[in-house]
Amino acid sequence: MSFIHRVLGQLRLGLGLAFVAAFAATAMAQPATGASATAAADGPRGNLVSAAWLQRNLGQGDLLLLDASGTQAFLAQHIPGAVGVDLYRFGPREASAAEVERRVQSWGVSPGRRIVVYDQGGSMMATWLFFELLHAGVPAGDLFVLDGGLHQWRAAGGAVTKEATPAPARGSFRVAGLQEALRTRLPEMLVASGDRRNHVLVEALEPSQHFGEAAFFDRPGHIPHAVMLPHGDLYNADKTFKSADEIRRMLGYLGVKPEQQVHSYCGGGVAATVPFFALRFIAGYPRVRLYKESQLEWLQDERGLPFWTYGAPYLMRETRWLNTWGGKMMRMFGGAQISVIDVRAAEEFRRGHLPFAVNVPAEVFRAHLREPARLAEALGRAGVKATDEAVVVSESGLDANAALAWLLLESLGQKKVSVFMDSIDRWAELGFEVARPAVVAAAASAASAASAASAAPKASAPAPAAPRPVSYAAEPRKEMLVADAGGAGSEAGAAAAAVVAGTPAPYPRVFVASGRQAPTKPPAGKVVHLPVTEVVQANGAPKAAKDLWKAFVKAGVPRYAEIVLFADDPADAAANHFIFKLMGFPDVKVWLR
């Protein structure tokens, strides 16, 4: 089988997978509003037209109707007079302007004609053809998508046929040059992935692909820092597009801003045309491009470009990374902007700890759970800088102590906070030195009592100098921790949990009980139970991203919601907070009951 045929097979598989993920699209997406068809009934809604509008205008000489569903679907049934266009037959090869011109002319495209494209409804084929015509230079004002496609056409009583449509008269549209400003190329994607302030990557694939359960190509996952927006989320249950307001609401929740440059991508550049169309031509986002090559190019790059399954894997640090970036060499040259915070008990810390670590025992964090100013003072005395990345070290990865420290450091406004996923023993097993101040002190005492000729025993590493106190400049993130203002289960307490910096949450609030047992007195509102033991393994390591997503689905966690975590032990809620942020959920907080 040729490479082209293999790629086409993968793309068709991706198309099928997008529809197979029906559970995620129904159980995890927001309920349909059903308003789009009504809104478009009296005329075009931007670049959308309704079935009723098409019925009134079909047959007019300046209207060209293109069916993008694909050859088999077109032969099964189509709107009378529609011209079938199967873009898959052209393959992924880059076409010249002259070749594109021959294609669009064969479909009957001429200057000044209104063009309506459609597919089966709720799909990606119509938006794909819309993009290809736009890319060829057809003015956006002449291009429309039938909202709801053939599904809505039939629901409105429109006729369908199996009879072949006569070949249209060859069009006269000239392609002077392809509209490259609509596309993102690989060098721009590399820049965009690392510049989240000015750029955002929108991935149109389902959670099964985003989190690594399924893969288009040789590696599962997504391009680093991509925001998951499955193309199916942009449709209502009746296969019409969601309203502009609802799409903007979704984008606001995901942190996609109009002023950012948006780059839409997927596996092979087809599903990505749905967010491209919805964001640019429905929601009115002015800066939206399509990365047409998508994962197909990214994963073939000879540099082995990174690919993630978690949403934020940098929240986890391991031995080799910490030894490099927080070790002696980087500190000698002033390049280590890392504070290693060991939250074990002081006695354990004295037995052995990572070089350059400072000891802020977990009991200090617990004691100042509701006293951020006091906690900031304690961190400053330990020498922790708020402008550093704080790496939290405990007995084993994300245990209760590490989770609580991570949460409180985040809530104080620490520039960046991560958790060391290895143990001290693992650090030593890999051949790195362990600081043992208690051993050094004992050795020095023994040496002074012995003869001058006797050699003092050597510790694994010299004890570091006492940390210099600093002024810890806290900038509390008030939205992360919510106080119980009215008691468990009360309306006042539930209302307090719904407030984010004085503004109601854009999506319904969902409480996630994070303790081992379901709560006996749950708060008012929607409550789901996701025990921390379902997402964190006994060794303190989070489960694989694909398994975490399955746990979310099983527990009934919505994709779009204000997530409020609570537990009898706040450390359990803190651990779940880490997991939700690791998976890329944007609106998560902990309710301190």
Side-chain angles (χ1 to χ4, degrees), residues 210-259:
H210 187 82
F211 294 120
E213 176 70 16
F216 266 121
F217 305 110
D218 64 313
R219 279 184 286 159
H222 56 270
I223 295 175
H225 297 300
V227 173
M228 182 180 68
L229 179 58
H231 80 279
D233 284 12
L234 294 163
Y235 291 108
N236 294 308
D238 65 359
K239 301 186 185 299
T240 59
F241 275 99
K242 290 184 176 177
S243 69
D245 286 344
E246 178 62 17
I247 292 172
R248 285 192 287 265
R249 185 186 188 204
M250 293 166 65
L251 297 173
Y253 174 82
L254 295 170
V256 181
K257 303 182 176 92
E259 62 269 22

Side-chain angles (χ1 to χ4, degrees), residues 204-573:
L205 299 176
E206 295 294 332
S208 60
Q209 285 127 359
H210 187 82
F211 294 120
E213 176 70 16
F216 266 121
F217 305 110
D218 64 313
R219 279 184 286 159
H222 56 270
I223 295 175
H225 297 300
V227 173
M228 182 180 68
L229 179 58
H231 80 279
D233 284 12
L234 294 163
Y235 291 108
N236 294 308
D238 65 359
K239 301 186 185 299
T240 59
F241 275 99
K242 290 184 176 177
S243 69
D245 286 344
E246 178 62 17
I247 292 172
R248 285 192 287 265
R249 185 186 188 204
M250 293 166 65
L251 297 173
Y253 174 82
L254 295 170
V256 181
K257 303 182 176 92
E259 62 269 22
Q260 291 176 304
Q261 178 64 63
V262 180
H263 309 268
S264 184
Y265 86 94
C266 57
V270 180
T273 62
V274 179
F276 171 85
F277 177 82
L279 271 63
R280 184 162 180 155
F281 294 99
I282 299 178
Y285 272 48
R287 306 179 63 200
V288 186
R289 294 180 184 174
L290 179 73
Y291 179 34
K292 190 173 179 179
E293 293 75 12
S294 289
Q295 291 181 5
L296 177 63
E297 178 180 58
W298 184 275
L299 291 174
Q300 286 186 94
D301 191 89
E302 62 186 9
R303 290 166 290 186
L305 299 177
F307 217 52
W308 291 355
T309 55
Y310 295 110
Y314 47 82
L315 296 181
M316 302 181 292
R317 298 304 190 190
E318 48 81 37
T319 293
R320 297 188 187 280
W321 183 92
L322 186 54
N323 181 67
T324 297
W325 299 107
K328 183 177 180 181
M329 181 66 73
M330 293 299 291
R331 292 179 188 277
M332 285 175 58
F333 290 98
Q337 297 179 339
I338 293 174
S339 290
V340 182
I341 305 176
D342 192 320
V343 298
R344 296 174 301 152
E347 182 179 353
E348 291 294 323
F349 181 80
R350 286 193 294 270
R351 289 197 185 103
H353 58 80
L354 303 187
F356 308 105
V358 298
N359 187 212
V360 184
E363 64 231 32
V364 174
F365 286 94
R366 283 189 178 271
H368 301 313
L369 184 63
R370 302 173 188 272
E371 300 174 322
R374 297 284 300 277
L375 179 57
E377 291 175 4
L379 292 168
R381 287 194 299 271
V384 177
K385 298 178 181 178
T387 54
D388 281 354
E389 174 176 349
V391 181
V392 180
V393 178
S394 189
E395 292 289 347
S396 56
L398 189 67
D399 61 14
N401 291 336
L404 193 60
W406 180 87
L407 175 71
L408 294 181
L409 286 163
E410 279 278 347
S411 69
L412 280 178
Q414 185 80 29
K415 179 181 179 182
K416 191 174 183 179
V417 192
S418 56
V419 173
F420 183 62
M421 288 296 161
D422 291 333
S423 63
I424 307 295
D425 290 341
R426 177 60 177 162
W427 176 280
E429 287 172 5
L430 291 174
F432 299 111
E433 292 182 322
V434 175
R436 304 188 188 276
V439 175
V440 171
S445 177
S448 63
S451 64
S454 64
K458 292 182 179 180
S460 299
R468 289 184 180 178
V470 298
S471 175
Y472 187 93
E475 296 182 3
R477 299 182 176 110
K478 296 180 180 179
E479 73 279 5
M480 283 190 61
L481 301 179
V482 182
D484 180 2
S490 72
E491 290 297 330
V499 176
V500 182
T503 304
Y507 278 98
R509 179 189 344 119
V510 175
F511 289 95
V512 179
S514 304
R516 274 66 171 174
Q517 303 296 324
T520 55
K521 294 182 179 180
K526 180 177 175 60
V527 180
V528 301
H529 185 211
L530 181 64
V532 68
T533 51
E534 291 292 317
V535 294
V536 179
Q537 302 175 79
N539 64 357
K543 290 185 176 180
K546 60 184 180 65
D547 295 324
L548 293 177
W549 180 253
K550 290 178 183 177
F552 290 170
V553 173
K554 181 181 177 182
V557 177
R559 184 181 294 162
Y560 300 94
E562 178 203 14
I563 304 295
V564 180
L565 306 160
F566 73 98
D568 291 337
D569 183 351
D572 289 339

